[in-house]
Amino acid sequence: CFAGCTGTESPSASAEAGADNVPTYIVGIDAPYPPFSLVDKEGKPTGFDTESMEWIAKDQGFKVEFRQIAFDSLVTSLEGKNIDIIYSGMTITPDREEKVNFTHPYWQVNQTVIIKTDSSLTMDDVMAGKATVGTQRGTTAGIWMDEHLVANGTMPKENVKHYDTISLAVTDLENGNIDAVMFDSTVINDVMAGKNLEKIGSIDTHEYFGIGVRKSDTALLNSLNEGLDKLMNDPYWQELITKYNME
Ligand code: ARG
């Protein structure tokens, strides 16, 4: 809290302006989440969302630092002012919108289901609840199964297996501990690369990704929306899409 502040309206410590009067915002990411949030060989955050964030920050005249946060803790970290921005392939959902203000959508995904190539499991089996399906904890894949399969009794709750990352779920699939994995469609190329895995189907969830900020940070939201709109109309946006081989 700055000198003279009442404690109720305290600006995020992280957003304090430096000597050059340029504020620094802490951006929460859960990496690796290819191609959106990555970490390069030197440990530097990169990826589609990270590079987009850097462009927007430059355009809007602020600085950013990236902080690694488990995906299912991003929203509470934002509320607790441990981070100021969430930018890590997060789907805009009604539940999250109760706690987070999202920018305009910047990307759309559906859900994809994969199995081992030597498995005979079908998408119908999955939809009938007859399979164990891995997902990343706190993500829309698990939320979708809870709402559409578990809630109506089609799928036993234990059949949805929650992992800290998608790669841990995929490893368990390769080891034969679960039958399938469900995740955002754009992630498929990176997840399956070089592995004996295949796609058996998709669910048209029509999810949109947004950048999240605290409800109270309306000026930051406006600035992110302005920067994002400019970026999406700039040739750099297409360059990033090509660079990261996104579908
Ligand atoms: N889009 C999905 C969701 O919002 C999954 C996002 C996972 N992102 C990540 N950085 N691990 O629930």
Side-chain angles (χ1 to χ4, degrees), residues 31-51:
Y33 191 65
F36 299 98
S37 306
L38 301 167
V39 180
D40 72 11
K41 285 187 209 82
E42 283 81 49
K44 190 180 156 303
T46 179
F48 184 80
D49 285 358
T50 302
E51 293 198 53

Side-chain angles (χ1 to χ4, degrees), residues 29-33 37 71 74 88-91 96 109 111 136 138-141 143 184 207 209:
I29 58 168
D30 172 51
Y33 191 65
S37 306
F71 186 78
L74 281 168
S88 199
M90 184 174 275
T91 301
R96 290 172 183 162
V109 298
Q111 291 297 317
Q136 184 180 21
T139 61
T140 44
I143 296 169
D184 292 343
E207 297 172 43
F209 290 179

Side-chain angles (χ1 to χ4, degrees), residues 28 31 59 72 81 96 107 112 117 148 158-159 189 193 239 246:
D59 180 71
D72 69 338
K81 300 194 173 182
R96 290 172 183 162
W107 196 255
T112 296
T117 28
H148 294 87
E158 321 79 73
N159 278 13
N189 291 338
E239 271 174 46
M246 314 212 353

